[in-house]
Amino acid sequence: MKLVVNPGKKLAKINKNIYGHFSEHLGRCIYEGLYVGEDSDIENIDGIRVDVLNALRQIKLPVLRWPGGCFADEYHWKDGIGPKENRKKMINTHWGGVVEDNSFGTHEFMRLCELIGCEPYINGNVGSGTVQEMSEWVEYMTFNGLSPMAKLREENGQKDPWTVKYFGVGNENWGCGGNMRPEYYADLYRRFSTYVRNYGDNKVYKIACGSNNFDYNWTDVVMKIAGPFMDGLSLHYYTVPGDDWENKGSATEFSDEDYYLTLKKTLLMEEIVSKHSAIMDKYDPEKRVGLLVDEWGTWFDVEEGTNPGFLYQQNTMRDALVAGINLNIFNKHADRVQMANIAQLVNVLQAIILTEGDKIILTPTYHVFDMYAKHQENTLLESKVFNDMVGTKDNQIPNVVESASVNEDGQVIITLCHTDLSEDVIMDIELLDSQVESVTGEYVSGASSDHNTFENPDCVVKHEMKDIKIEDNHLQVTMAPCSVIQLTVTPKA
C-alpha cells in the first residue's frame, strides 16, 4: 500500500479549533466530570478537578463550547451568577429531568477555560430567551466601562471583563431549539445577532445555527438570508450505526459487521462537509464564513444501569477510529472547516475522559486527540493514499484514511487510520522531492472492542512506533489492524 505526500504543495492552514470540545449540562459532564465544588475531597482548583485539568492541558485543548446543546436554549444565564446559595434551581427537561442548581455558571466556566488555557465558545439562548437577555450576557462578560451589566459583574467578583471571541446564536433551532423553519430562524438570527455587540477590543465571532446532517436546504436558506451577518455556521452529524435511534447498539458489544457499518457511517462526514461547503461557496466564494462542526461523534445506547437521559457510554478502539477518521476529514477541508467540537468532553457520548468518584480514565479517543494535536496550526499538505477496500459484503470502506501537514519547523505530520480488523499492512510513504532525515511515531491499536475501565485503565494506551524504515524519500511502516498512527517526519535541510 502506498501514500504520497507532497511537501511542495501547501494548502490551507489547519485551524487549531478543529480539535475543539463540547461541554453541556448533561448527565455527569459538568457535575462530577469537570466540577466537584470547592468543598470536595477530590483535588480541585475553585471546584474544578485537577486531574481532568491536567489531562485537558496535555492535549492542548483549544476551544470549549458551553452550556449546550439543547440545554443552551433553556438556559437563562442570570440564574448562574452571584452567591451560589441564592442561585435559582431548575429542572433539566432535556437531560434526565434532574435538578440543575446552577452552581456552575458563567464565572465558573470562564475560570475553567482560563485554567485549561482555551478559548470559551458561549452558546446563547434563542429558543426560550430574549434579545435583551442575550445582549446583556455579552455586555456582562465583555464590557469594560460603566454599565449595569459591568457593574453587576464586578459585584460578583470579576472586575475586568473576559475575552469572549466565539458566540453561538441558538442551537439546533430546527429541533430542540424551537422546531423552526430555516426562513424563520434566519430572520431571528439577523435580529438577535445585531445586539451581540463588540465592546472595546473584544471582537465577537458570531455563529449561526446550521444544519442537521443532510439538511442542505437549511444551509441554503440561512446562508441566503443571513450569510452576510455571520462569521460561522454550525453543522451537526453523529455517527449512529443503523437508522433506529431507539436501538443504537452497544458501545462495547458489537460484531465485525457493526464495526464496519459504524465506520462507513462516519465516512459520510466527507460527503456532508463537501456538500454543505459547496452551498456556502455559492453565497460566500471568498470563504469568509467558517463551517463549524460543533457536534460530532458516536452515539450508542447508554451503559446498562445508567440514567438514559445522561447519555453515558463506554469508548473503544472503534471510537478511536471514528475520531481519527473525522479529524483527518476536517483537516482536509481546512479551507472551510474552522472549528469542530466532539460531543462530549467528560462522561457523555464519545467522551475523552470518564470519571468515577476520584478516579479518571483516558479513553482511546483521548489518545487520538493527544497524537493529532501536532496538526494544530500547521499547513495542510497535498496527500493521496492508494487504497484497498476492506470490510464485509454490505459495508466496504477504505483501508486507510489519512491527512498530512507541515509545521513551522518544516516537520511533516502524518496521521493514518488503518480500518482493517484482520491484517497487518506495510505502508510505503513517499515524500515527493524530499529526503528524510529522521522519523518518530506513535500509535494506538487493539481489538475493535478494547476499552479502558476503572479496573483496567491501561488496556488501550499510546505506544512508540518502532522499526520504521527510511530510504531516501521513502518511509516504510507496519500498521497493525484497527490502529491510529501519527508520524513526525523531519526532512533533510
Side-chain angles (χ1 to χ4, degrees), residues 173-184:
N173 300 101
W174 37 262
C176 64
N179 290 308
M180 302 174 190
R181 298 178 302 116
E183 294 84 358
Y184 180 73

Side-chain angles (χ1 to χ4, degrees), residues 56-114:
L56 299 180
R57 291 169 180 148
Q58 167 66 29
I59 61 171
K60 297 180 172 64
L61 191 153
V63 63
L64 183 58
R65 181 175 177 236
W66 172 86
C70 292
F71 184 81
D73 277 290
E74 66 176 8
Y75 182 66
H76 301 285
W77 68 270
K78 287 183 181 178
D79 295 344
I81 60 173
K84 294 186 181 181
E85 63 271 18
N86 296 337
R87 296 185 189 182
K88 293 181 181 178
K89 294 180 172 59
M90 62 179 282
I91 299 298
N92 191 332
T93 58
H94 285 293
W95 306 119
V98 295
V99 174
E100 164 63 57
D101 70 1
N102 282 304
S103 59
F104 187 93
T106 302
H107 289 252
E108 291 76 21
F109 176 68
M110 298 304 292
R111 179 62 170 148
L112 170 65
C113 292
E114 177 188 345

Side-chain angles (χ1 to χ4, degrees), residues 354-372:
L354 302 178
T355 70
E356 189 175 278
D358 63 353
K359 299 177 182 178
I360 73 167
I361 53 176
L362 307 178
T363 70
T365 297
Y366 175 91
H367 296 302
V368 172
F369 272 86
D370 193 15
M371 292 190 296
Y372 275 57

Side-chain angles (χ1 to χ4, degrees), residues 225-296:
I225 296 174
F229 301 90
M230 70 179 73
D231 300 299
L233 182 68
S234 69
L235 170 66
H236 292 178
Y237 176 66
Y238 286 95
T239 296
V240 182
D243 300 311
D244 183 1
W245 277 81
E246 298 302 316
N247 184 22
K248 297 177 287 294
S250 168
T252 56
E253 297 179 6
F254 50 87
S255 65
D256 289 357
E257 187 80 32
D258 294 330
Y259 166 86
Y260 286 115
L261 172 61
T262 302
L263 298 195
K264 184 178 179 181
K265 298 290 286 285
T266 288
L267 285 159
L268 288 174
M269 184 67 85
E270 169 65 36
E271 173 189 333
I272 292 168
V273 168
S274 295
K275 289 186 176 180
H276 285 291
S277 296
I279 295 167
M280 295 175 74
D281 288 346
K282 183 169 65 171
Y283 299 102
D284 175 37
E286 293 82 20
K287 300 186 188 295
R288 180 189 66 82
V289 179
L291 181 60
L292 280 59
V293 190
D294 62 13
E295 290 187 31
W296 66 272

